[in-house]
Amino acid sequence: KEWAITKIQREILLETKQRYQEKYLQRIIETTTEYFQVITDGRFTNVFFPDGTNTFQVITEDELMFTVQELSQGTINQLYVALRLAISKVMAKTHRFPFILDDAFVHFDEKRTERMMEVLNRIGKDQQVILFSCKLDVKQACEKLGFPMLEMYHSIQY
C-alpha cells in the first residue's frame, strides 16, 4: 500500500513538473536572458538552462559558450539574480507576491549595481520590490532613481 501511494505521488509530481515546464519554462528562459543581457551590459547574449546532462550555460557577445562553473563569482551572482527576477516576473502574473532581495549584489561593482537597479526599477512598475542592503553604492543608486528608502542603523554593543 505504501509503495503504491509513493508511486502515485511520484507520478503526480513528475506530471506537475512537466506541465510547469511546458507552461512557464520558455518564458522564464527568455526573461532570464533579457535581464542577464541588461545586467551584464550586453556582454552575455543568451542563457541556456540545464537539460539533464548540462548545467547552466551562457553565450557571450563574441559567441563563446561558458558553463556556470567557468564564470566569475560576480557573473554567477548576476545570473542567479536574473533567474530569480525572471521566475518572479513570470509567476507574478498568477501569484502577486513582493520580490525581496537581501544584499544580493555583494559581488557587484558600481556599474553592475546601477544596471541592476534599472532592472528593479522596471520590475517595480508591476510588482513590489523590497531590497535590503548595507552597500553605499546600492543606497546611492536608489537615491538616483528616487526609490523610497527606510534607513536603519543598528549598533551592537559588546
Side-chain angles (χ1 to χ4, degrees):
K1 183 178 176 177
E2 282 182 41
W3 176 84
I5 291 171
T6 302
K7 182 154 178 64
I8 290 170
Q9 289 173 333
R10 184 176 187 278
E11 292 300 319
I12 291 171
L13 186 60
L14 289 173
E15 183 181 323
T16 302
K17 178 182 172 188
Q18 182 65 33
R19 273 190 274 138
Y20 170 82
Q21 287 180 341
E22 289 169 5
K23 186 173 182 179
Y24 298 110
L25 190 59
Q26 188 58 41
R27 282 187 284 164
I28 290 172
I29 293 169
E30 291 166 2
T31 307
T32 299
T33 298
E34 174 190 331
Y35 290 151
F36 195 53
Q37 286 174 347
V38 172
I39 296 167
T40 63
D41 199 26
R43 286 191 359 252
F44 293 91
T45 60
N46 216 333
V47 176
F48 296 97
F49 276 47
D51 61 7
T53 57
N54 295 315
T55 183
F56 275 96
Q57 296 178 330
V58 295
I59 294 183
T60 67
E61 62 189 341
D62 301 327
E63 298 185 13
L64 298 173
M65 184 174 279
F66 292 93
T67 65
V68 73
Q69 295 88 350
E70 296 172 312
L71 302 174
S72 70
Q73 188 62 49
T75 306
I76 291 170
N77 285 357
Q78 289 174 313
L79 178 59
Y80 174 68
V81 170
L83 174 60
R84 283 187 57 204
L85 290 169
I87 291 169
S88 179
K89 180 179 180 180
V90 170
M91 299 311 290
K93 294 183 187 317
T94 311
H95 308 286
R96 304 292 295 178
F97 294 110
F99 187 74
I100 301 172
L101 293 160
D102 186 5
D103 258 339
F105 317 135
V106 173
H107 297 283
F108 286 26
D109 60 23
E110 192 174 324
K111 281 290 184 198
R112 287 176 175 158
T113 299
E114 283 181 24
R115 289 191 299 266
M116 188 67 237
M117 298 310 285
E118 290 171 13
V119 169
L120 291 180
N121 191 30
R122 276 196 247 161
I123 290 170
K125 292 179 183 355
D126 299 319
Q127 181 179 5
Q128 182 182 27
V129 176
I130 300 170
L131 172 63
F132 297 96
S133 183
C134 64
K135 289 183 65 181
L136 181 59
D137 60 338
V138 171
K139 178 185 176 199
Q140 290 168 341
C142 287
E143 288 172 344
K144 185 176 176 181
L145 290 167
F147 289 176
M149 290 187 296
L150 174 62
E151 293 185 54
M152 299 181 68
Y153 298 95
H154 186 270
S155 62
I156 300 173
Q157 296 180 2
Y158 295 96

